[in-house]
Amino acid sequence: MESTPRTSLRALLAGVLVTAMVAAPTPASAQPLAHPQDDYAGSQIAKHEGTGGGPLLDVRANDDVLGLDVASYQGTVDWAAVVRNGGKFAYSKATEGITYTNPSFGQQYNGSYAAGLAHGAYHFALPDVSDGATQANFFVDHGGAWSRDGRTLPPALDIEYNPYGDTCYKLTPEQMTAWVKAFSDQIWYRTGVPPTIYTSYTWWTKCTGNSTVVSRNPLWIPRYGTDVGTLPGGWTTQAIWQFADKGTFPGDQNRFNGNGDRLRSFTLG
């Protein structure tokens, strides 16, 4: 006599469970990003820290190892023109968070290499949508790999002001430091080289407490003007200086800290 109500109860609970599963909202980490095409290396630095407002570094192609960084914002790049104007290396945005891939990445990454430049990929970090290791894996799986061919730059982590909300992604300095280290460790494990860290002194100090946890990684510093300024987090020198957000090349303008031989050594890890 009791089997019928028990069966009915189980069926009712199963129906509720199925309904709940169907009605469950998409997790924030899996939702499409609002404007990833506008998030590129330095986009938020320029917005929060400005672009200098004064004279920029006076560089000459025959004196410096110059390069650029691009994202979907630049679309198809004329790499032959970049080479004619003295470009030697290029970073291209590959990914953002755990859902976005740059639709122009193939042309930018492969095209720069075919034109004779050293090429590299970078990831725009969103530390509030997943842990660091998860984002590192997404990056490596979608363009962030590395090969010791003498012309591939170490994969880079672009970590700067949050374009979608709270400056530090609602993480404490300790949490942010742990996130960055987890990302770095996973990239190192997956590729064999530590990632280059792109960040500004002001953001790094505010959001990590000026941590030295990745001070052995190469530093890519954005500062628009005539000098690199104070370096963050225990770094004593930079590998790359992003000195302007526009100029001779498409996208941002960069200067490698060394000559062509040192650039090749940098690509070799």
Side-chain angles (χ1 to χ4, degrees):
M1 297 294 292
E2 294 181 352
S3 58
T4 301
R6 285 182 180 175
T7 301
S8 299
L9 180 59
R10 284 197 295 268
L12 177 61
L13 290 174
V16 171
L17 178 60
V18 169
T19 302
M21 291 174 65
V22 171
T26 303
S29 60
Q31 292 176 359
L33 300 172
H35 47 72
Q37 70 280 357
D38 297 331
D39 306 334
Y40 49 86
S43 59
Q44 305 308 305
I45 304 296
K47 184 178 296 183
H48 290 267
E49 300 181 20
T51 55
L56 297 175
L57 180 70
D58 181 21
V59 294
R60 296 172 177 81
N62 59 346
D63 294 334
D64 301 275
V65 177
L66 302 178
L68 62 156
D69 60 88
V70 293
S72 63
Y73 191 82
Q74 281 73 41
T76 299
V77 176
D78 184 348
W79 292 111
V82 170
V83 172
R84 287 196 300 271
N85 287 324
K88 298 295 191 296
F89 68 93
Y91 266 110
S92 303
K93 178 180 176 179
T95 51
E96 179 174 339
I98 56 170
T99 57
Y100 175 79
T101 58
N102 172 12
S104 299
F105 179 72
Q107 190 277 337
Q108 294 173 351
Y109 186 76
N110 297 325
S112 56
Y113 188 89
L117 281 74
H119 70 164
Y122 77 85
H123 173 78
F124 194 101
L126 296 179
D128 57 346
V129 303
S130 81
D131 61 85
T134 296
Q135 279 187 54
N137 285 328
F138 180 73
F139 175 39
V140 173
D141 292 342
H142 295 86
W146 176 81
S147 60
R148 199 172 188 270
D149 58 6
R151 287 180 52 205
T152 300
L153 303 163
L157 170 66
D158 173 7
I159 189 154
E160 54 183 282
Y161 299 86
N162 183 359
Y164 299 101
D166 180 76
T167 292
C168 299
Y169 301 86
K170 297 184 179 179
L171 299 184
T172 66
E174 293 75 19
Q175 290 171 329
M176 184 65 75
T177 298
W179 193 98
V180 172
K181 187 175 188 306
F183 183 98
S184 177
D185 288 349
Q186 188 66 7
I187 291 292
W188 205 334
Y189 171 75
R190 290 285 306 274
T191 68
V193 290
T196 297
I197 306 296
Y198 173 99
T199 197
S200 76
Y201 172 80
T202 301
W203 184 90
W204 188 262
T205 300
K206 177 177 177 62
C207 295
T208 74
N210 210 21
S211 170
T212 61
V213 69
V214 288
S215 60
R216 293 175 59 192
N217 295 47
L219 173 66
W220 179 6
I221 185 78
R223 182 178 168 88
Y224 310 125
T226 57
D227 62 79
V228 298
T230 303
L231 301 182
W235 279 286
T236 58
T237 188
Q238 79 283 354
I240 301 172
W241 171 20
Q242 187 188 78
F243 64 88
D245 64 342
K246 57 183 176 294
T248 301
F249 308 123
D252 300 304
Q253 316 296 294
N254 293 274
R255 182 184 190 185
F256 180 74
N257 189 14
N259 59 21
D261 289 338
R262 286 192 63 183
L263 177 65
R264 177 172 168 77
S265 295
F266 183 56
T267 65
L268 294 174

